[in-house]
Amino acid sequence: MKKIRKAAAVTAAAVLCLGMTATAFASEVTNSATMNTVPNDVTFGVTGSYDGTTTDGAPVYKIDVAWGSMEFTYEANATRVWNTTTHQYDTTPSGAGVWKANAEGTSNKITVTNHSNAAVEAGLEFSKNSTGITGKFTDGAKDITSLSLASAATTNAPVADEAFFEITGGTLNEGTTNSEIGSILVTITSVEAATE
C-alpha cells in the first residue's frame, strides 16, 4: 500500500507539473490543431515583415593621392663674366638664388581625393636629403600642414582638395642635375583618429 501511495503521489506531482507547463505555454499558442489519428500532419504559414530602418556599417576607405613631377630648378641669380686670363667664365653672385617649380601650379601640386564614407585628413610632411633645403605646403594662399576632406557620403560624389609644395631655402652646387633633394610624405588618417 505504501508503494501504491508513493506511486500515486509521484504521478500526481507529474500531472501537476505537466499542467503547469501547459499553462505556461498556453499564452504563447495562438493557433492549434487536434489530431485524432496517426499518421497525420498539419501545415501552417510562416510570415515575415520588412523593417526599413538601417544602420551604417563600418567606414569603407578609398583615397587617391596624385602629385606632379616635383621638379624644381634653383636659379642662382649670378652673373657670368668671361675671364681673359683663365679663358673661362667666373660666376659672381648678384643676389639671393631663387627656387622655381618647373611648371608652377602643376608640377608642384598634390591632389587628395576622398571616395570614402568617412571624413579623412591628409598630413603633409617634407623631409630633406640635402643640407639646408627647406620647404613648405600652401593651399595657394596660406601655409598648411594638412588637408581635411569631408565624407563622400555627404555629397554623393568624391571630395578633393589640393596643396602646393614650395622650396623655401637652400642651394644646389653648380652642375647639379636631377638630384633627389628630399621626399614628401602624405599620411591619411580618419578624422576620428586625428582628434583622439
Side-chain angles (χ1 to χ4, degrees):
M1 187 77 171
K2 266 187 174 180
K3 286 184 180 179
I4 293 174
R5 274 195 217 155
K6 195 174 194 181
V10 169
T11 303
V15 169
L16 284 173
C17 285
L18 287 173
M20 289 178 4
T21 303
T23 304
F25 292 112
S27 63
E28 296 176 16
V29 176
T30 57
N31 299 300
S32 63
T34 303
M35 296 181 202
N36 296 322
T37 60
V38 291
N40 209 334
D41 57 38
V42 63
T43 303
F44 48 90
V46 177
T47 63
S49 299
Y50 174 78
D51 180 355
T53 59
T54 60
T55 56
D56 292 339
V60 177
Y61 293 101
K62 179 185 175 195
I63 297 97
D64 296 328
V65 179
W67 58 93
S69 65
M70 294 297 152
E71 294 175 333
F72 293 82
T73 300
Y74 178 72
E75 295 178 357
N77 200 10
T79 303
R80 291 176 15 136
V81 177
W82 182 251
N83 185 323
T84 57
T85 305
T86 63
H87 300 101
Q88 296 179 355
Y89 282 102
D90 291 334
T91 304
T92 307
S94 55
V98 176
W99 282 98
K100 291 186 178 178
N102 287 4
E104 182 65 41
T106 303
S107 65
N108 64 330
K109 181 167 72 171
I110 301 164
T111 304
V112 181
T113 305
N114 186 16
H115 301 271
S116 313
N117 64 338
V120 296
E121 184 168 291
L124 305 168
E125 183 180 338
F126 172 68
S127 297
K128 62 186 176 187
N129 290 354
S130 301
T131 304
I133 301 294
T134 57
K136 68 177 182 176
F137 301 92
T138 73
D139 63 4
K142 64 182 183 307
D143 294 354
I144 59 172
T145 58
S146 65
L147 297 171
S148 296
L149 296 110
S151 164
T154 60
T155 61
N156 292 326
V159 177
D161 203 355
E162 53 194 30
F164 301 92
F165 179 67
E166 298 175 5
I167 296 179
T168 56
T171 62
L172 289 180
N173 294 329
E174 187 175 344
T176 302
T177 305
N178 292 330
S179 175
E180 186 173 310
I181 58 175
S183 60
I184 293 173
L185 174 67
V186 178
T187 304
I188 306 295
T189 56
S190 69
V191 169
E192 293 78 23
T195 58
E196 290 176 356

